[in-house]
Amino acid sequence: MDVRRRSPKASPGPKASDALPLPLYLTNGIFFTLFFSVAYYLLHRWRDKIRSSTPLHLVTLSELAAILSLIASFIYLLGFFGIHFVQSFIARASWDIETLNSRPPTRYVDPLPSQDDEDLVNSVVSGEIPSYSLESRLGDSYRAASIRREAVQRLTGRSLDGLPVEGFDYQSILGQCCEMPIGYVQIPVGIAGPLLLNGCEYSVPMATTEGCLVASTNRGCKAIYASGGATSVLFRDGMTRAPVVNCPTASRATELLFFLEEPANFDTLAVVFNKSSRFSRLQKIQCSLAGRNLYIRFSCGTGDAMGMNMVSKGVQNVLDFLQDEFPDMEVGGISGNFCSDKKPAAVNWIQGRGKSVVCEAMISGEVVEKVLKTSVSALVELNVIKNLTGSAIAGALGGFNAHAANIVSAIFIATGQDPAQNIESSHCITMMEAINDGKDLHISVTMPCIEVGTVGGGTQLASQSACLNLLGVKGACRESPASNSRLLAAIVAGSVLAGELSLMSAIASGQLVKSHMKYNRSTRDLSTILLGNLTGGSNLASWVVAGTLAYFLWVKPSQELKRQQQEKAALAAASDTYRYVEKRKPIPDPQETGLIYGNKNKSKKSEE
């Protein structure tokens, strides 16, 4: 692992709590006690003076000492709690001023200071200038995003405050990743691992907003590491694209099918296909007929790229070649959904798409009990009734797992993959078996459709590129093409194995809800928020002392005063014979008065 030197932290300055050579909690307790006890004493003294008509400015020696102690304790408490609070606002205000002075004039606080930009916004709002043409007109991607952002706010009447626009290289996504940008979304990235896979350690970056996901995967990595690591094998690698062509008759479509599946014609088609890229290698052609429509599924290797664009160019070359041989053939579409891309499909589940990987590990019974807090037999039984039987009852297609999509999506977002391809990439079947006379656990995940790449698309963005570099798979491998993308697929499968192991253990031990309530809920300390993250805000002893003294200083005296007022009122009422006191008669019982629901008891009257 890459060990980097950290810059030494600046030593904190002297604090007011250093006034006494005592521990922090004792120091705070002493000053809290001093402040409230002296204040309580002075308030009682002043109350007695007011009752006896004694001037307040005449103080005794004890009162003078109490006043000095009150001032001293107040200064300490102000220095300990108040100064840091005030300085935080002063520092924040000065930072904002420096930021305003250092940033370019087109920042969002004043995004359009010039008249030219204001005119452009008005033109976009009125429709005179298309929003999509701002980059080509201005030649400044950041300025175009700022103008478009302001125009969107004016058109919708809604603020985009909170969606950052600064700090992003919009030139890097121009014509490649995203059109008409107005900002970017921040997603936290966590690290799970080390994942011990095929004898190597990997720290796996996961971009997610779901609590417990990284922690759970990390626990699975710990269990795998303690048991000697996991092993993964890539057993198939080929991206697919399936155009649909239309022939005049079904018999003519059948002739085309025979031509494509003839082994003697494969080499010719491969030469035509491989001209699209030096990395593309046509592997096989599979056809499916539906009336006059023929679906042709091409599978090819794509090097370290995910390969959708590469295989599409190769398919277009073959279609142009076929139209020379079959002039009556019409191309219905470059994709006929027999690929199948970004959709759950049995053809992908059975035949695979992208990288097909199997990953396994043997987890010792001791690790299962100590790390995963469950038993081997419980895991095996749960896997059968949940991942296998339960998924079968639900009619799952490739979903014979606990939560493979969670891990796949998090790694895809962190490493710049296409998040939509999580649909087929998450096809996974998790198997668990008891081995060594039931003492240990064998777990495996089989994933036939991991669609990843280390070049092209979002992998070239700075943040995603850094995550790929963390895994050691950044860019293309010159020595062995496709090695980086295959290693990334293996890491994805190994991470899914860790996630499956941990989640299944949490469910088997009944800890799933408890862990989510602990880690997937906000635990922010509201006291520190209200006090501005003050130093010592979490000092339990100080707050207990303060609360106790506050009770005896304010709550209890107010209760005594209220009781005294009630007693005086009662005495006054008793001594005043002419004071009117309303006497209310009790509500009569309907059974005794003969009134039931507003009607008199007729039987009672008749008896009288």
Side-chain angles (χ1 to χ4, degrees):
M1 298 177 65
D2 184 17
V3 181
R4 302 179 180 178
R5 298 182 60 186
R6 298 181 179 177
S7 58
K9 296 182 179 179
S11 59
K15 301 177 181 178
S17 60
D18 298 332
L20 293 178
L22 294 173
L24 184 61
Y25 70 94
L26 288 180
T27 305
N28 291 344
I30 289 173
F31 277 96
F32 265 116
T33 305
L34 180 64
F35 178 81
F36 288 108
S37 59
V38 168
Y40 183 76
Y41 170 75
L42 289 176
L43 288 175
H44 274 271
R45 292 292 299 165
W46 290 339
R47 184 186 63 179
D48 295 339
K49 286 184 178 182
I50 292 173
R51 288 178 176 178
S52 61
S53 300
T54 303
L56 295 179
H57 64 275
L58 297 178
V59 295
T60 62
L61 184 61
S62 60
E63 292 174 349
L64 181 62
I67 293 173
L68 294 177
S69 300
L70 182 67
I71 296 174
S73 59
F74 176 76
I75 292 175
Y76 169 81
L77 295 175
L78 178 64
F80 188 77
F81 291 102
I83 291 178
H84 181 78
F85 180 71
V86 175
Q87 285 179 346
S88 64
F89 281 95
I90 296 175
R92 188 180 305 171
S94 62
W95 182 86
D96 291 340
I97 294 174
E98 293 175 0
T99 306
L100 285 172
N101 294 332
S102 61
R103 289 185 176 177
T106 55
R107 72 186 299 269
Y108 179 67
V109 174
D110 187 12
L112 303 168
S114 67
Q115 187 62 35
D116 292 339
D117 288 348
E118 182 67 28
D119 294 340
L120 285 171
V121 171
N122 293 331
S123 299
V124 173
V125 172
S126 64
E128 296 178 9
I129 298 178
S131 177
Y132 61 82
S133 66
L134 287 174
E135 281 80 4
S136 59
R137 284 174 177 265
L138 300 176
D140 186 343
S141 298
Y142 172 75
R143 185 183 173 200
S146 300
I147 293 173
R148 183 181 296 109
R149 177 193 183 97
E150 181 64 23
V152 169
Q153 292 186 116
R154 296 184 186 181
L155 285 170
T156 60
R158 297 184 181 276
S159 174
L160 288 173
D161 189 19
L163 179 69
V165 67
E166 299 167 349
F168 189 82
D169 184 10
Y170 293 95
Q171 192 66 31
S172 64
I173 65 173
L174 184 62
Q176 185 168 1
C177 293
C178 181
E179 298 77 32
M180 296 190 290
I182 58 172
Y184 58 95
V185 175
Q186 297 170 317
I187 301 178
V189 178
I191 289 294
L195 172 65
L196 184 57
L197 181 67
N198 294 335
C200 299
E201 297 181 7
Y202 301 97
S203 296
V204 184
M206 302 177 67
T208 181
T209 56
E210 179 182 349
C212 285
L213 179 58
V214 178
S216 178
T217 307
N218 187 71
R219 184 176 75 151
C221 292
K222 179 181 178 181
I224 294 173
Y225 195 103
S227 298
T231 303
S232 67
V233 178
L234 185 141
F235 58 92
R236 187 167 47 231
D237 183 7
M239 181 51 64
T240 62
R241 175 62 84 191
V244 55
V245 297
N246 179 269
C247 296
T249 61
S251 59
R252 184 61 171 167
T254 306
E255 293 179 12
L256 177 57
L257 182 150
F258 292 153
F259 177 85
L260 291 170
E261 292 186 347
E262 176 62 39
N265 296 330
F266 180 81
D267 292 339
T268 302
L269 296 174
V271 171
V272 175
F273 185 97
N274 296 340
K275 289 190 300 182
S276 61
S277 172
R278 60 191 178 98
F279 294 106
S280 64
R281 295 293 181 269
L282 182 62
Q283 297 172 346
K284 66 177 181 178
I285 301 175
Q286 178 186 3
C287 298
S288 182
L289 189 64
R292 298 188 298 118
N293 299 318
L294 182 64
Y295 298 83
I296 314 169
R297 193 171 192 256
F298 294 84
S299 177
C300 75
T302 57
D304 281 312
M306 185 270 291
M308 284 300 302
N309 293 333
M310 188 184 302
V311 68
S312 296
K313 290 189 291 183
V315 168
Q316 188 62 54
N317 291 341
V318 174
L319 291 178
D320 295 340
F321 173 81
L322 290 177
Q323 283 187 320
D324 293 336
E325 298 292 330
F326 296 84
D328 53 352
M329 180 194 77
E330 295 181 358
V331 178
I334 191 68
S335 175
N337 275 3
F338 187 41
C339 312
S340 174
D341 185 37
K342 300 180 177 68
K343 291 169 284 293
V347 66
N348 292 338
W349 175 239
I350 297 171
Q351 300 185 9
R353 188 171 192 258
K355 276 71 175 173
S356 300
V357 183
V358 60
C359 186
E360 64 178 347
M362 271 72 76
I363 311 299
S364 66
E366 182 181 2
V367 172
V368 171
E369 294 178 359
K370 292 185 177 181
V371 178
L372 302 176
K373 311 299 182 184
T374 185
S375 63
V376 173
S377 58
L379 283 174
V380 173
E381 181 181 3
L382 179 63
N383 186 71
V384 172
I385 63 176
K386 171 182 169 61
N387 289 341
L388 302 183
T389 308
S391 297
I393 292 176
L397 181 59
F400 297 89
N401 57 81
H403 70 148
N406 259 337
I407 293 88
V408 173
S409 296
I411 299 177
F412 271 31
I413 295 172
T415 58
Q417 311 303 315
D418 189 343
Q421 289 183 325
N422 163 69
I423 296 175
E424 61 266 37
S425 296
S426 297
H427 282 353
C428 171
I429 181 169
T430 301
M431 301 293 293
M432 294 186 185
E433 300 176 59
I435 58 175
N436 299 330
D437 297 329
K439 297 179 181 179
D440 302 327
L441 175 71
H442 178 275
I443 178 174
S444 67
V445 292
T446 305
M447 308 180 67
C449 317
I450 303 180
E451 301 171 1
V452 294
T454 57
V455 295
T459 63
Q460 52 89 29
L461 298 179
S463 302
Q464 288 80 349
S465 179
C467 291
L468 288 172
N469 187 58
L470 176 66
L471 295 172
V473 294
K474 178 182 177 181
C477 181
R478 297 182 178 180
E479 294 78 12
S480 178
S483 294
N484 282 352
S485 62
R486 291 175 178 177
L487 177 57
L488 178 59
I491 294 173
V492 171
S495 303
V496 169
L497 181 73
E500 291 286 285
L501 181 61
S502 182
L503 177 60
M504 292 294 289
S505 300
I507 297 176
S509 60
Q511 297 297 315
L512 178 63
V513 176
K514 182 179 179 180
S515 61
H516 271 269
M517 294 301 296
K518 181 178 180 181
Y519 296 105
N520 203 17
R521 292 293 184 271
S522 176
T523 58
R524 300 177 68 184
D525 190 351
L526 296 181
S527 64
T528 58
I529 297 174
L530 295 175
L531 293 175
N533 295 326
L534 302 180
T535 305
S538 60
N539 194 324
L540 180 60
S542 301
W543 291 113
V544 169
V545 172
T548 304
L549 293 177
Y551 171 77
F552 287 102
L553 183 61
W554 285 291
V555 178
K556 190 174 181 180
S558 65
Q559 293 176 347
E560 293 180 356
L561 180 60
K562 184 177 180 180
R563 181 178 56 80
Q564 292 175 1
Q565 291 175 349
Q566 292 175 348
E567 292 177 354
K568 290 180 180 180
L571 291 174
S575 60
D576 189 1
T577 57
Y578 296 99
R579 184 172 182 269
Y580 172 75
V581 178
E582 181 182 3
K583 297 182 179 179
R584 297 183 179 180
K585 297 181 180 180
I587 299 175
D589 187 357
Q591 299 295 336
E592 296 179 358
T593 60
L595 296 175
I596 301 177
Y597 299 105
N599 298 321
K600 293 184 177 181
N601 194 334
K602 298 180 180 179
S603 60
K604 187 174 182 180
K605 275 191 172 184
S606 61
E607 292 177 359
E608 294 177 353

